[in-house]
Amino acid sequence: MKTNADANPDRSWALLFARLVLGLIFFMAGVWKVFQLGPLNHARKYFLPFADTFLPVWSLWLTGVVIPFIELIAGALVIIGLRTRAALVALGFVLAIVTFGHLLKEPLYEFHTHVIPRLALLLFILVLPARDDRFSIDYLLRRARKKDKSYDKID
């Protein structure tokens, strides 16, 4: 088991920068979709054009309204490093939904400008050990819990 002495500070910085960039991309998209465009308009503009496919219209409305909130909340969580893994999984599902939607309308859609950079950052953060993400709230909470357990042993 690795200790703090084994921690790689370069990996910690890499995780911080990847989290900040990915989190900001999703968070700012969520801010725009929730507070400027509006969730209903988001669904109407980006999801209802798929009403001519096999997808039920209710599912288009539901997904189109919910995704902006997922981007907003999960993006913020990734930025601060709180419940990072859960937030990354949620954002991974958003990317999968976006990929499915684009491919449904355009089977040869080019993903290199939109999906792939976000997915690369997401996977980078997800595959590195959470213990190396030293500039996150998750890390601070784990340290505090570990300290509490060590105090319990003293009593």
Side-chain angles (χ1 to χ4, degrees), residues 19 73-74 77-78 80-90 136-139 141-142 145:
R19 270 194 308 99
I73 295 165
L77 291 173
V78 169
I80 64 173
L82 178 62
R83 303 208 29 96
T84 306
R85 296 300 192 246
L88 291 171
V89 168
S136 69
I137 293 176
D138 287 336
Y139 178 84
L141 292 173
R142 272 193 308 277
R145 271 185 251 133

Side-chain angles (χ1 to χ4, degrees), residues 57-112:
V57 173
W58 66 264
S59 71
L60 298 172
W61 275 108
L62 179 66
T63 309
V65 168
V66 169
I67 280 181
F69 292 101
I70 293 172
E71 291 177 326
L72 178 74
I73 295 165
L77 291 173
V78 169
I79 290 168
I80 64 173
L82 178 62
R83 303 208 29 96
T84 306
R85 296 300 192 246
L88 291 171
V89 168
L91 294 173
F93 278 113
V94 168
L95 289 174
I97 290 167
V98 166
T99 300
F100 172 73
H102 282 294
L103 291 175
L104 193 57
K105 282 287 191 178
E106 190 180 336
L108 298 177
Y109 181 80
E110 295 181 5
F111 289 95
H112 65 279

Side-chain angles (χ1 to χ4, degrees), residues 123-141:
L123 295 175
F124 173 79
I125 300 165
L126 201 55
V127 299
L128 287 177
R131 70 176 174 266
D132 289 341
D133 195 1
R134 298 177 70 185
F135 305 117
S136 69
I137 293 176
D138 287 336
Y139 178 84
L140 296 174
L141 292 173

Side-chain angles (χ1 to χ4, degrees), residues 5-55:
D6 299 325
N8 180 340
D10 291 339
R11 194 176 294 171
S12 296
W13 285 110
L15 280 162
L16 173 67
F17 296 138
R19 270 194 308 99
L20 290 175
V21 170
L22 182 67
L24 284 168
I25 289 168
F26 279 106
F27 177 74
M28 295 308 292
V31 166
W32 180 75
K33 291 172 185 177
V34 170
F35 299 110
Q36 291 180 315
L37 179 63
L40 293 176
N41 283 335
H42 175 261
R44 194 173 293 113
K45 182 174 182 179
Y46 296 109
F47 284 77
L48 288 189
F50 294 89
D52 63 348
T53 68
F54 68 91
L55 298 170

